[in-house]
Amino acid sequence: MTQWDDSQTKAVSEDITDESNALPARYFTDDDVFEMEKEKVFGQYWVYAGHANSISDPGQFFTRTIGDRQLIVVRGHDGEVKAFDNVCAHRGSKMVEDTPMTDPAEGNRIRCPYHLWTYDLDGKLQSTPKSFEEAGLNPDLEDDEVQEFDCESNGLNDVHVDTIGPLIFVNLGEDPMPLAEQAGVMKDRLEALPLEEYEHATRIVSEVECNWKVFASNYSECDHCQANHQDWIKGISLNDSELEVNDYHWVLHYTHAQDVEDEMRIHDEHEAQFHYLWPNFTVNMYGTADGYGTYIIDPIDTDRFQLIADYYFRDSELSEEEREFVRTSRQLQEEDFELVERQWEGLKTGALAQAQLGPNEHTVHRFHQLAQEAYDS
């Protein structure tokens, strides 16, 4: 039952195990919930960091901010991808500048510009300046009394890294569940595809005025499509489509009204597939283009998020057909932005205490369940 804030007849349910119950509205609008999510959601689940093809050579790196923590994601000299907090072990300085995946930097080591502490690509302290070996300015200390900095214990703080094909994920927790457990069948499905053979073609970044969970919920259902994506649904048979739900992953399978040639897609099924991996990552398999896309639904604060949309095709130089495809995808995004910002305007009024979900919004319900499980952990 929908509940309004001015009705005291029933309290908002403590859980959302009932299929018709949505996450209570305050979990979208309260600032303290967003602060909690930094630890309970983004601090304990696997979060997408970026694409391995962007750092194909040893020494290449990019930065990725998750919650309040910025990471350096780097390919080591051994060819393995590693991730470290962008924080010097000396006095906590930020070391490298913001570096997007689409324009990675490169170096044989990581050096903090503040006092020139230098680390190798494994995060181990490599060297300190001479001023840290001598006590010339300290009259109470002789040079032979200077503490030697242990390279192991004064290294960078590393975080867990794992991959699904070329997709790099990080986990800020101390003892996380395996990525394979969180991704479930999505891992097997994606690793059966030649994702690494496709090149990054373009990135579109949008700032949207609503809570990140509002957009994630919208992405996870298509009851809104008939009224709001009329150009797109002309080629889709919505009644023959399927919404599949797994533990931390769901898939929107969209059947095309007319069959499409196999050469027009990376996957075998004659459909478009939109994979959502909790908490904020999607992989979009298109039925009418030989390529795929990824979305990061990246929270900024309670009221805003960034949608980072990356597109991958056989060649980084887009053909005119691929440019038109990206334009169509962008149209869908903009139509959704209008919808979620409209919903956000309503939620912020405080009139609604708790909404209810329809029978085809079971994917949304699973998203809301996972949010509550994280909050209760």
Side-chain angles (χ1 to χ4, degrees):
M1 177 184 295
T2 300
Q3 297 183 56
W4 303 98
D5 269 350
D6 59 359
S7 172
Q8 302 302 316
T9 57
K10 294 182 69 176
V12 170
S13 63
E14 294 183 359
D15 61 62
I16 55 168
T17 54
D18 186 326
E19 286 289 338
S20 67
N21 283 346
L23 193 67
R26 70 181 183 87
Y27 288 103
F28 295 88
T29 59
D30 286 3
D31 290 337
D32 58 346
V33 171
F34 176 70
E35 291 302 315
M36 175 178 62
E37 288 174 341
K38 292 178 183 178
E39 174 188 356
K40 300 263 188 170
V41 175
F42 298 99
Q44 69 171 323
Y45 291 97
W46 290 94
V47 177
Y48 177 66
H51 203 287
N53 285 5
S54 67
I55 50 172
S56 56
D57 297 327
Q60 288 187 309
F61 69 87
F62 61 86
T63 59
R64 173 82 167 91
T65 300
I66 298 171
D68 293 327
R69 292 170 63 175
Q70 186 175 76
L71 307 178
I72 302 170
V73 183
V74 59
R75 189 173 294 277
H77 290 302
D78 60 0
E80 297 298 316
V81 176
K82 303 168 177 65
F84 308 97
D85 278 291
N86 188 14
V87 177
C88 182
H90 172 217
R91 282 167 54 188
S93 175
K94 176 179 177 177
M95 296 184 297
V96 304
E97 297 302 317
D98 297 356
T99 307
M101 181 196 81
T102 49
D103 188 19
E106 187 171 0
N108 290 323
R109 61 196 178 204
I110 301 169
R111 171 175 283 181
C112 178
Y114 194 5
H115 294 91
L116 303 183
W117 279 37
T118 303
Y119 306 85
D120 63 25
L121 299 183
D122 290 326
K124 182 179 178 181
L125 180 62
Q126 192 175 58
S127 66
T128 58
K130 192 173 183 179
S131 60
F132 285 84
E133 301 171 3
E134 301 176 351
L137 299 179
N138 187 343
D140 298 323
L141 197 65
E142 298 296 329
D143 284 351
D144 60 3
E145 297 174 322
V146 172
Q147 169 190 335
E148 182 177 348
F149 290 98
D150 179 72
C151 293
E152 294 290 344
S153 60
N154 289 284
L156 299 179
N157 187 54
D158 61 340
V159 302
H160 298 279
V161 177
D162 203 347
T163 58
I164 297 176
L167 308 176
I168 303 168
F169 293 82
V170 294
N171 193 300
L172 305 181
E174 292 185 6
D175 186 24
M177 75 170 82
L179 175 59
E181 180 180 341
Q182 183 176 323
V185 295
M186 177 181 175
K187 178 177 171 65
D188 295 333
R189 289 172 176 174
L190 295 185
E191 289 187 339
L193 302 174
L195 300 183
E196 69 283 350
E197 296 178 9
Y198 288 67
E199 297 185 30
H200 186 269
T202 189
R203 165 174 280 193
I204 302 174
V205 180
S206 308
E207 185 174 309
V208 187
E209 293 185 4
C210 78
N211 185 267
W212 70 278
K213 297 186 296 298
V214 174
F215 184 85
S217 300
N218 176 83
Y219 177 96
S220 299
E221 53 89 1
C222 205
D223 277 3
H224 70 278
C225 294
Q226 190 75 43
N228 297 283
H229 298 316
Q230 295 184 11
D231 289 341
W232 179 67
I233 64 166
K234 290 177 182 176
I236 299 294
S237 297
L238 286 179
N239 291 337
D240 297 327
S241 299
E242 176 193 357
L243 277 64
E244 168 196 346
V245 179
N246 300 287
D247 289 344
Y248 298 95
H249 160 239
W250 41 98
V251 192
L252 286 69
H253 301 265
Y254 293 123
T255 302
H256 290 282
Q258 296 181 347
D259 195 16
V260 181
E261 295 179 4
D262 287 342
E263 290 77 11
M264 293 298 292
R265 70 181 75 82
I266 186 175
H267 56 293
D268 293 334
E269 289 80 0
H270 288 210
E271 61 184 15
Q273 298 176 1
F274 294 84
H275 298 255
Y276 195 107
L277 178 64
W278 165 263
N280 66 329
F281 178 62
T282 82
V283 180
N284 310 317
M285 299 291 178
Y286 309 113
T288 55
D290 185 17
Y292 62 96
T294 63
Y295 287 173
I296 305 173
I297 306 169
D298 218 14
I300 299 173
D301 52 32
T302 304
D303 301 273
R304 296 174 301 154
F305 76 92
Q306 275 190 335
L307 184 71
I308 304 173
D310 289 301
Y311 297 88
Y312 298 85
F313 296 101
R314 287 289 184 181
D315 194 308
S316 60
E317 294 296 325
L318 291 172
S319 67
E320 184 52 42
E321 291 79 8
E322 289 166 343
R323 291 184 187 280
E324 180 59 32
F325 178 83
V326 173
R327 283 192 288 267
T328 300
S329 177
R330 180 60 179 169
Q331 177 184 333
L332 287 172
Q333 293 169 24
E334 291 176 341
E335 290 167 351
D336 280 333
F337 295 161
E338 181 178 351
L339 296 176
V340 297
E341 288 184 339
R342 179 185 294 269
Q343 182 186 356
W344 186 237
E345 287 296 314
L347 286 174
K348 286 193 302 179
T349 67
L352 184 68
Q354 185 172 28
Q356 61 177 323
L357 302 173
N360 297 312
E361 295 177 316
H362 52 297
T363 42
V364 180
H365 183 255
R366 183 58 189 151
F367 176 80
H368 290 192
Q369 281 183 315
L370 287 170
Q372 181 150 10
E373 288 175 13
Y375 302 156
D376 291 342
S377 65

